[in-house]
Amino acid sequence: MNRFLTKGRIATLVILGVLLIDQIIKVWIKTHMYWHESIRVTDWFYIFFTENVGMAFGMEIFGKLFLTIFRLVAVSIIGYFLYKCIKYQLKMGFILCVSLILSGALGNIIDSLFYGVLFNESTPSQIASFLPESGGYAPLFYGKVVDMFYFPIIDTYWPQWMPFIGGEHFIFFSPIFNFADAAISCGVIALFLFYNKSFSEAYHLIVKKK
């Protein structure tokens, strides 16, 4: 690692890069597409504009204000954890995974905190505008998270002979998500696949020395 590309600077670049890409995509979708408008890219990949008030992949649990505050607390904890990982010079791959998780969480927090104030409502007949004269669609902390990536890799029906679900519509991987969600998922999956031992190391270095 040379003097310029330190672990801290690489982590910062990853976080800023993910945030920039995530917000560019979301703002473009929000200001160019109607709510629930769909653009077919392939049979198994669509740009489908929707919004959610819940957690990753459109899940809705508890109230909106609670989720926004929960995100802020979680980001603070992850940010502190990342700072300590860099301070104690843990593996670069481990730091990158934590950086992806942090940047993804920050990306969705921006939506929750500010989008209700910055944009008016997206509807099937109205494309939202930035800083509308009439004001935003919700107060601070109550913005909706913009989602757009939809991958119905398998879109079919269950065979009629199957009990209980025969003939019902089946879509493999139906969640609609955004770039921030993808960053979180990639970070978490990589941590579990490649950096299990680093969790133990991080615990001893960070938690016990706290």
Side-chain angles (χ1 to χ4, degrees), residues 151-169:
F151 288 87
I153 298 172
I154 299 175
D155 188 347
T156 186
Y157 291 87
W158 290 106
Q160 291 289 345
W161 53 265
M162 294 189 70
F164 306 112
I165 59 173
E168 292 187 6
H169 191 209

Side-chain angles (χ1 to χ4, degrees), residues 135-209:
Y137 65 83
L140 203 67
F141 282 80
Y142 284 86
K144 298 176 184 178
V145 177
V146 175
D147 291 326
M148 74 293 297
F149 297 131
Y150 178 43
F151 288 87
I153 298 172
I154 299 175
D155 188 347
T156 186
Y157 291 87
W158 290 106
Q160 291 289 345
W161 53 265
M162 294 189 70
F164 306 112
I165 59 173
E168 292 187 6
H169 191 209
F170 168 73
I171 298 177
F172 176 75
F173 200 73
S174 59
I176 302 170
F177 60 98
N178 57 46
F179 192 79
D181 295 330
I184 294 171
S185 298
C186 290
V188 171
I189 292 170
L191 280 178
F192 281 106
L193 288 179
F194 306 113
Y195 296 103
N196 273 321
K197 293 181 180 179
S198 295
F199 279 118
S200 177
E201 183 182 359
Y203 173 80
H204 285 90
L205 286 175
I206 296 172
V207 177
K208 288 194 172 182
K209 289 187 177 183

Side-chain angles (χ1 to χ4, degrees), residues 10-12 14-15 82 94-104:
I10 292 176
T12 301
V14 169
I15 293 168
L82 177 60
F94 184 78
I95 290 173
L96 288 177
C97 290
V98 178
S99 299
L100 285 173
I101 296 169
L102 177 60
S103 59

